[in-house]
Amino acid sequence: MTTPRVHTSELRGTALANEIRARAASAATELTAAGTPPQLAVVVATDDGSSAWYVRSIARAAAKTGIQCTLVELGPKATAEQIRTSLTALSADPEVHGIILQTPLPDGVAFDDLAAAIDPAKDVDGANPLSLGRLTANLPAFAPATAAAVLALLDRHEIELAGRHAVVVGRSTVVGKPTAQLLLQRDATVSICHRHTKDLAEITRRADVLISAAGRIGLITAAHVAPEAVIIDVGTNPTDDGGLVGDVDTASVQGRVAGVTPVPGGVGPVTTALLLQHTVQAARRR
Ligand code: NAD
């Protein structure tokens, strides 16, 4: 495979997301006919607006795919114990196949600790620390959907990874680390940058494949990229006018790189589609 020289708009995720959803829908139809209607449960303990928007978009996509999506609304004052009790009950419920713990969580409630209460077999967003551990050990596990979406986009656009330098900006447990792990599994040479990295541009300029997952508007500019680099923009940053932009200053890098994913319309739709795919996979394994 070679790196194609492509225009910005060609690294879109919408067509790929449609295909993944169509496959998940036909699996959901089969499962339902066989008496196992797939069900995804989303535990929500926040009144954050962008989180509510995200949850609604998952519920809409699930409904269109023939997957039942159950929202478990615990409210922004929920305690860690209430959230854990809910996750434990859903893990034991044979009719629930996938479980997502939505963020943000109430102040003082730690995500990783609670996510450990999600049955790994139902952990469709790879939130349980066991899932990341298994991923790191090359054992079967659900990868966080966003990290899986990055790899799915790279594969879709036939971007070679073996032996190439991939730079991941961001080291969160939910996005940066698992993305780096998946790239490593594919034989890329991986560098991970974060907020303490000195001279970010000096490192990102050496990337064949640059993944930005920092959540900082305009972080990646022309000064941060090599010619022919492929950029996957994971960042989703709300703007004052109600829009959404990524981390990459697209106007600045356009024409200098091989390709960059748009925001919105890049990683986001693929992430949602993969959550649904993981849910039908979990239902099939029962
Ligand atoms: P996070 O805040 O937990 O982590 C951000 C990471 O970026 C940290 O590791 C931090 O060290 C690093 N960082 C911050 N500023 C930096 C800088 N100036 N230079 C270098 N590194 C810097 O966020 P997260 O949950 O990992 O999410 C990252 C972004 O991805 C956010 O914009 C989030 O909204 C988005 N996101 C998108 C999807 C999707 O499906 N598209 C899914 C999840 C998260």
Side-chain angles (χ1 to χ4, degrees), residues 152-206:
L153 270 162
L154 290 168
D155 286 343
R156 169 56 175 248
H157 294 285
E158 300 190 341
I159 309 302
E160 177 74 58
L161 292 171
R164 302 183 80 214
H165 187 201
V167 175
V168 181
V169 182
R171 61 170 173 185
S172 71
T173 306
V174 67
V175 187
K177 278 185 215 164
T179 301
Q181 201 53 53
L182 292 177
L183 290 162
L184 202 55
Q185 277 181 6
R186 299 287 298 277
D187 299 328
T189 300
V190 183
S191 301
I192 306 176
C193 302
H194 45 80
R195 69 179 86 245
H196 300 286
T197 298
K198 292 196 173 79
D199 201 351
L200 180 68
E202 195 271 320
I203 297 168
T204 56
R205 268 201 305 271
R206 289 192 269 125

Side-chain angles (χ1 to χ4, degrees), residues 13-29 57-67 267-278 280:
T14 37
L16 173 59
N18 288 342
E19 286 167 24
I20 295 169
R21 275 204 310 272
R23 281 197 298 273
S26 84
T29 305
S57 76
I58 294 175
R60 255 197 319 270
K64 277 197 220 153
T65 310
I67 295 173
V267 176
V270 182
T271 298
T272 308
L274 284 173
L275 281 173
L276 303 178
Q277 186 193 81
H278 289 176
V280 293

Side-chain angles (χ1 to χ4, degrees), residues 10-13 16 146-159 161 166-169 175 179 183 207-214 220 225 229-236 246-248 253 257-263 266-268 270-271:
E10 290 180 298
L11 291 187
R12 294 189 69 80
L16 173 59
T146 305
V150 170
L151 271 288
L153 270 162
L154 290 168
D155 286 343
R156 169 56 175 248
H157 294 285
E158 300 190 341
I159 309 302
L161 292 171
V167 175
V168 181
V169 182
V175 187
T179 301
L183 290 162
D208 298 309
V209 178
L210 174 59
I211 319 294
S212 187
I220 303 299
V225 297
V230 168
I231 311 177
I232 307 291
D233 192 352
V234 181
T236 50
D247 293 350
V248 178
V253 303
V257 295
V260 52
T261 55
V263 177
V267 176
V270 182
T271 298

